[in-house]
Amino acid sequence: MIRVVIAEDQKMLRGALTSLLKLEDDIEVVAEAADGLAAWDAIMKYQPDVCLLDIEMPSMSGLEIAEKLKQVKNMTRVIIVTTFARPGYLQKAIDAQVDGYLLKDEPIDFLIEAIRSVKRGERVLSTDLAAALFLKEVNPLTEREMDVLRLAKEGMTTREIVSTLFLTDGTVRNYLSSAIQKLEVTTRQQAIEKAKNNGWI
Amino acid sequence: MIRVVIAEDQKMLRGALTSLLKLEDDIEVVAEAADGLAAWDAIMKYQPDVCLLDIEMPSMSGLEIAEKLKQVKNMTRVIIVTTFARPGYLQKAIDAQVDGYLLKDEPIDFLIEAIRSVKRGERVLSTDLAAALFLKEVNPLTEREMDVLRLAKEGMTTREIVSTLFLTDGTVRNYLSSAIQKLEVTTRQQAIEKAKNNGWI
DNA sequence: AGTTTTTTATGACAGGTGTCATAAAAAAAA
DNA sequence: TTTTTTTTATGACACCTGTCATAAAAAACT
């Protein structure tokens, strides 16, 4: 019997997955969680064989849970189930050594098969994503450019960045400008977006 | 037997819903669609009793389908199933006289019950949303302010808006400024966002 | 060691963005 | 009709944003 914990904030999908997994003879859903913290608690409490983690959840993301599980050397296998094919997410998932990364665009049967596969110790990846890994670009940004972009990401204005990093107004804008050009976009918002997508900041 | 068409672009959820609805004795899923056009074709072909429409789909949104169905006086009952509780979406759904508006945060059983209810001619609304309708603010924008915001929404720069509406540079920025203030935000992007959310542009 | 390349830093510049004071025109109220 | 209010319009102002030319400092290469 494969014991599974499901963490997914959208009730309809969570309920549907649970109902369908229960129909499988070899799978048992031991707990459901609607947010990251609840998911963590459930995994600690039930020590399931496999956990399905959505990435974008309240209080703790699925990726954070995966990292923490790795840190405490918990043996629960992790399958990330997400809408997003962002290279940044995928990279973080690989760094956290997750056992599977599936898109919600896959059919349920694929998920069920994936649960059995990871239980056997195999790794599972949505087909589209294998290509995404090869297409991954290298980070063209310097340390300083990333610093500035990171602060800009938090919604800081140029002036606030200036006083945080002890630079002049012009210098900060200069880093942003070169980041914008290197990322081949035209505004700082787009630069933040792209850098975030690729897991560079 | 209640004949149902399901339109939802996310395969995992679509498949899960179909599987679960098939378990109900009085419901039959006659077709699935992964995008708006396919959904429209399926509804035309099968003339189901009820159709479940996601809003954000490729090629045609669920709201557009609902409007078109109303225009051609098709008798299929419409249930919108969406992640978003935006007042603007809800308003458009009401204008299109849909029979139900459910959030994906509802449990499946609620959806199943909703299908039976609308088939009987009743209307169904997610509980949180009833309140949203009362909280709806009135549109504080003038005709001209909406014109400008609409063009800004399409990504036009101030200059492009100027030559489209035959105004001066200053005037356009003035409309944007007053719109920004009326909407109690600080940038044109936020103004566009809020006006869109409320269905004002 | 010296040379080249990359990174870090600065300020000047052009252009965009939002606010303001002001006023004519149109609509509503008296 | 006159007065008041609202809408539409303008240009001036301060500030923000992205680019550029330029240069010192650091790192990599010969």
Side-chain angles (χ1 to χ4, degrees):
Chain A
M1 206 64 166
I2 307 176
R3 300 171 66 251
V4 178
V5 164
I6 299 181
E8 156 66 49
D9 64 336
Q10 205 171 274
K11 197 167 189 172
M12 198 169 279
L13 183 58
R14 187 175 73 244
L17 289 180
T18 304
S19 302
L20 290 175
L21 289 182
K22 278 181 177 163
L23 297 180
E24 303 296 315
D25 297 330
D26 55 341
I27 295 177
E28 181 188 3
V29 179
V30 294
E32 288 183 30
D35 64 81
L37 277 174
W40 177 258
D41 292 344
I43 294 168
M44 289 299 108
K45 183 172 172 193
Y46 295 104
Q47 298 288 331
D49 299 301
V50 179
C51 63
L52 306 182
L53 303 179
D54 187 17
I55 291 188
E56 302 205 341
M57 285 188 292
S59 79
M60 203 186 330
S61 83
L63 290 173
E64 288 175 281
I65 295 175
E67 273 161 34
K68 260 182 90 175
L69 281 175
K70 184 187 155 202
Q71 277 168 25
V72 302
K73 301 200 192 312
N74 185 294
M75 294 312 291
T76 298
R77 316 268 189 192
V78 174
I79 299 179
I80 298 286
V81 182
T82 177
T83 315
F84 308 102
R86 296 188 191 153
Y89 278 173
L90 187 51
Q91 185 58 60
K92 286 203 176 114
I94 290 168
D95 293 344
Q97 298 176 339
V98 305
D99 302 276
Y101 192 107
L102 304 195
L103 297 180
K104 288 184 185 171
D105 241 331
E106 300 288 345
I108 299 264
D109 291 343
F110 192 89
L111 173 64
I112 294 172
E113 234 359 275
I115 291 173
R116 296 193 182 111
S117 296
V118 300
K119 159 77 180 180
R120 287 195 300 267
E122 295 165 25
R123 294 252 171 134
V124 183
L125 200 63
S126 277
T127 30
D128 301 353
L129 288 172
L133 266 185
F134 284 99
L135 293 174
K136 221 173 55 115
E137 302 167 50
V138 291
N139 185 349
L141 303 174
T142 67
E143 219 30 75
R144 236 30 187 155
E145 286 162 354
M146 288 190 280
D147 288 345
V148 172
L149 262 192
R150 248 175 245 123
L151 295 178
K153 182 184 70 173
E154 308 302 332
M156 278 194 186
T157 67
T158 304
R159 184 161 301 166
E160 287 170 313
I161 297 173
V162 163
S163 48
T164 306
L165 297 181
F166 303 105
L167 298 176
T168 70
D169 189 77
T171 307
V172 169
R173 289 214 308 288
N174 219 4
Y175 283 132
L176 284 171
S177 177
S178 64
I180 287 167
Q181 289 176 316
K182 285 179 181 176
L183 298 178
E184 296 172 306
V185 294
T186 53
T187 68
R188 78 176 64 190
Q189 264 327 310
Q190 293 170 354
I192 291 168
E193 190 64 22
K194 180 157 185 182
K196 216 165 41 176
N197 265 352
N198 284 283
W200 294 331
I201 56 173
Chain B
M1 208 62 166
I2 308 176
R3 299 170 67 252
V4 178
V5 163
I6 299 181
E8 156 68 48
D9 63 336
Q10 204 172 272
K11 194 168 191 174
M12 197 170 280
L13 182 58
R14 186 175 74 244
L17 289 180
T18 304
S19 302
L20 290 174
L21 289 182
K22 277 182 177 164
L23 297 179
E24 303 295 315
D25 298 330
D26 55 341
I27 296 177
E28 182 189 0
V29 179
V30 294
E32 288 184 33
D35 64 81
L37 277 174
W40 177 259
D41 292 344
I43 294 168
M44 288 300 107
K45 182 173 173 193
Y46 295 105
Q47 298 289 331
D49 299 302
V50 179
C51 63
L52 306 183
L53 302 179
D54 186 15
I55 292 187
E56 302 205 339
M57 283 188 293
S59 79
M60 204 188 326
S61 82
L63 290 173
E64 289 175 279
I65 294 175
E67 274 161 32
K68 260 182 90 176
L69 282 174
K70 184 186 154 202
Q71 278 169 25
V72 302
K73 301 200 192 311
N74 185 295
M75 294 312 292
T76 298
R77 315 269 188 193
V78 174
I79 299 179
I80 297 286
V81 182
T82 176
T83 316
F84 308 101
R86 296 189 192 151
Y89 279 173
L90 187 51
Q91 185 59 58
K92 287 204 176 112
I94 290 169
D95 294 344
Q97 298 177 339
V98 306
D99 303 277
Y101 191 107
L102 304 195
L103 295 180
K104 288 184 184 170
D105 241 332
E106 300 288 347
I108 299 265
D109 292 344
F110 192 89
L111 173 62
I112 294 173
E113 234 0 275
I115 292 173
R116 298 196 179 107
S117 297
V118 301
K119 160 76 181 180
R120 286 194 302 267
E122 296 165 24
R123 294 252 171 135
V124 183
L125 200 64
S126 276
T127 30
D128 301 353
L129 288 173
L133 266 186
F134 284 98
L135 293 175
K136 221 172 54 109
E137 304 166 50
V138 291
N139 186 349
L141 302 173
T142 66
E143 218 30 73
R144 232 37 183 149
E145 285 161 356
M146 288 190 282
D147 288 344
V148 172
L149 262 192
R150 247 175 247 121
L151 294 178
K153 183 183 70 172
E154 308 302 333
M156 277 193 187
T157 67
T158 304
R159 182 162 302 163
E160 288 170 313
I161 297 173
V162 163
S163 49
T164 306
L165 297 182
F166 303 105
L167 298 175
T168 70
D169 188 80
T171 306
V172 169
R173 289 216 308 288
N174 221 4
Y175 283 131
L176 283 170
S177 178
S178 64
I180 287 167
Q181 290 176 317
K182 285 179 180 175
L183 298 178
E184 295 173 306
V185 294
T186 52
T187 68
R188 77 176 64 189
Q189 261 328 308
Q190 293 170 354
I192 291 167
E193 189 63 24
K194 181 158 185 181
K196 216 165 40 175
N197 264 350
N198 285 284
W200 295 332
I201 55 173

